[in-house]
């Protein structure tokens, strides 16, 4: 019980620290003219679990921006995960997307990422700490404006989830930090993201998830705050026996 209290206290302190940081940044950004947007994300995902250690995922997602009035991008993502240890998971993923470049139309991009995640449980709570490296680039020719774009990045996410056999609802909360690498420059944190989600377990029919992201850009002359509402459906197929 003592360990559980320490873990909860540590996670709560982290949340309060990052939340306080964002409030301070937002207060300062008001003076410099912060821009904002409201986006909507919708996705469907199929997961295949094999022999307890392997997980294959296929996702289709559509994202709307400009106050959810136009398509920003849509993509397909395929990922493969392997549980190295009971508390450690390794995952690789490839994403192909079409991004709306307004007057230039839709342009194809690809993104690859490698994840390493550490996880543990405490009674009805589960905690997940994920480190991700990602590389994004445009397929085909790249114009001069995109040569110095942010292609390499690191992300760190801390997530807590509550699950009980007595109720079908699974609330969760996450904080994620984005580090981006720009050509001929040092790394820097450029975005923080808070996520509150609520999933409803439909048992053998899958799971529905409703989530809300709050993103805040950092260290920018014109910082941007983005609110995101999303809805997702996840269907899991398990084949645990050899």
């Amino acid at each position: 019980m003592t360990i559980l209290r320490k873990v909860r206290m540590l996670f709560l302190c982290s949340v309060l620290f990052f939340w306080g940081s964002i409030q301070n940044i937002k207060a300062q950004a008001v003076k410099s003219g912060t821009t904002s947007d409201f986006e909507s994300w919708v996705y469907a995902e199929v997961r295949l679990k094999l022999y307890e250690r392997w997980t294959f995922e296929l996702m289709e997602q559509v994202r709307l921006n400009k106050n959810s009035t136009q398509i920003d991008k849509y993509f397909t993502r395929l990922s493969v995960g392997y549980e190295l240890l009971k508390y450690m998971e390794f995952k690789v993923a490839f994403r192909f997307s079409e991004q709306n470049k307004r007057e230039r139309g839709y342009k194809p991009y690809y993104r690859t990422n490698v994840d390493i995640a550490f996880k543990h449980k405490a009674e009805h709570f589960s905690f997940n700490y994920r480190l991700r490296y990602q590389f994004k680039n445009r397929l085909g020719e790249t114009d001069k404006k995109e040569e110095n774009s942010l292609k390499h990045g690191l992300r760190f996410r801390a997530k807590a989830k509550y699950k009980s056999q007595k109720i079908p609802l699974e609330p969760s909360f996450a904080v994620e930090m984005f580090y981006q690498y720009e050509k001929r420059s040092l790394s820097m944190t450029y975005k923080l993201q808070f996520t509150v989600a609520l999933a409803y377990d439909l048992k053998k029919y899958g799971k529905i998830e409703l989530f809300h992201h709050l993103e805040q850009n950092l260290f920018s002359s014109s910082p941007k705050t983005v609110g995101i509402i999303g809805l997702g459906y996840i269907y899991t197929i398990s084949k645990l026996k050899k």
Side-chain angles (χ1 to χ4, degrees), residues 53-77:
R53 291 184 178 272
W54 289 95
T55 302
F56 299 85
E57 301 173 353
L58 179 64
M59 172 190 283
E60 294 285 343
Q61 185 171 135
V62 179
R63 296 182 179 180
L64 284 71
N65 63 357
K66 301 297 182 181
N67 291 321
S68 300
T69 59
Q70 68 178 28
I71 295 177
D72 177 41
K73 69 181 69 172
Y74 56 91
F75 62 81
T76 300
R77 188 185 71 191

Side-chain angles (χ1 to χ4, degrees), residues 37-172:
D37 194 10
F38 173 72
E39 299 184 5
S40 300
W41 297 359
V42 180
Y43 75 87
E45 180 177 314
V46 177
R47 296 178 182 174
L48 174 62
K49 292 186 176 181
L50 296 177
Y51 312 137
E52 297 184 355
R53 291 184 178 272
W54 289 95
T55 302
F56 299 85
E57 301 173 353
L58 179 64
M59 172 190 283
E60 294 285 343
Q61 185 171 135
V62 179
R63 296 182 179 180
L64 284 71
N65 63 357
K66 301 297 182 181
N67 291 321
S68 300
T69 59
Q70 68 178 28
I71 295 177
D72 177 41
K73 69 181 69 172
Y74 56 91
F75 62 81
T76 300
R77 188 185 71 191
L78 176 63
S79 60
V80 180
Y82 181 74
E83 192 177 79
L84 298 171
L85 300 169
K86 185 177 181 180
Y87 55 85
M88 183 186 301
E89 183 180 15
F90 177 79
K91 180 181 291 186
V92 294
F94 178 83
R95 189 177 85 177
F96 173 78
S97 63
E98 291 280 350
Q99 295 193 19
N100 187 354
K101 294 298 181 179
R102 314 302 181 255
E103 66 277 359
R104 292 185 292 165
Y106 287 91
K107 300 297 180 181
Y109 285 78
Y110 72 90
R111 193 187 82 180
T112 57
N113 61 263
V114 179
D115 301 348
I116 183 74
F118 299 89
K119 54 187 178 179
H120 66 92
K121 293 183 178 181
E123 295 185 356
H124 296 301
F125 291 90
S126 60
F127 300 89
N128 184 288
Y129 310 94
R130 185 192 70 189
L131 179 64
R132 167 177 290 180
Y133 164 77
Q134 64 182 38
F135 175 80
K136 176 184 174 182
N137 203 0
R138 179 176 165 182
L139 287 172
E141 297 182 358
T142 303
D143 57 33
K144 293 183 178 180
K145 292 183 179 180
E146 293 179 320
E147 285 183 355
N148 296 327
S149 63
L150 300 173
K151 297 180 179 180
H152 300 271
L154 288 175
R155 298 163 59 172
F156 175 73
R157 186 191 70 184
K159 180 179 180 180
K161 182 172 69 173
Y162 177 85
K163 183 177 181 179
S164 175
Q165 297 294 335
K166 297 181 180 180
I167 58 174
L169 297 177
E170 301 176 9
S172 63

